[in-house]
Amino acid sequence: MAALTINKENFQREVMESDKPVLLDFWASWCGPCRMVGPVIEEIAQERSDIKVGKINVDEQQELASAFRVMSIPTLVVMKGGKVVKQSAGARPKAQILSML
């Protein structure tokens, strides 16, 4: 499944009420490291049916970025049961992203 575009309209349903762990990628189109991580995030979304993967554009969803205290991007957040269990800022290789899950 492709990564979902998460916004404040679908956040409750897709993230908070998800029965699967959710990997969130906070990104922006102008961010170089985000463009490096983006394809890796899509790959993980395609390969792992046991998790949900969402992308949050910080320019369009400033409220969500603020709620997660995103100070630099890319920021990756893993949520389980509506709670943040892991969070990391900066580009990461695929193996490190998978180890967060």
Side-chain angles (χ1 to χ4, degrees):
M1 182 163 76
L4 301 165
T5 299
I6 303 294
N7 54 45
K8 61 182 186 218
E9 285 75 35
N10 69 3
F11 182 80
Q12 182 68 32
R13 181 181 70 252
E14 296 293 353
V15 179
M16 299 304 283
E17 297 171 7
S18 175
D19 53 353
K20 298 177 179 179
V22 183
L23 172 63
L24 295 173
D25 173 24
F26 287 85
W27 69 286
S29 58
W30 48 263
C31 163
C34 298
R35 289 196 298 271
M36 289 169 26
V37 170
V40 176
I41 297 297
E42 287 294 340
E43 224 175 85
I44 292 169
Q46 295 293 331
E47 295 170 356
R48 298 280 302 264
S49 60
D50 61 321
I51 62 166
K52 197 179 272 192
V53 179
K55 296 178 69 66
I56 300 175
N57 184 319
V58 296
D59 290 334
E60 296 168 3
Q61 301 298 321
Q62 293 175 353
E63 226 174 276
L64 285 175
S66 175
F68 282 87
R69 294 183 175 86
V70 172
M71 297 297 171
S72 63
I73 51 174
T75 290
L76 300 174
V77 175
V78 177
M79 296 192 65
K80 291 182 183 168
K83 294 190 179 2
V84 175
V85 291
K86 295 239 171 80
Q87 187 164 336
S88 76
R92 300 271 182 269
K94 185 176 179 180
Q96 275 187 16
I97 296 170
L98 289 171
S99 74
M100 290 175 64
L101 297 168

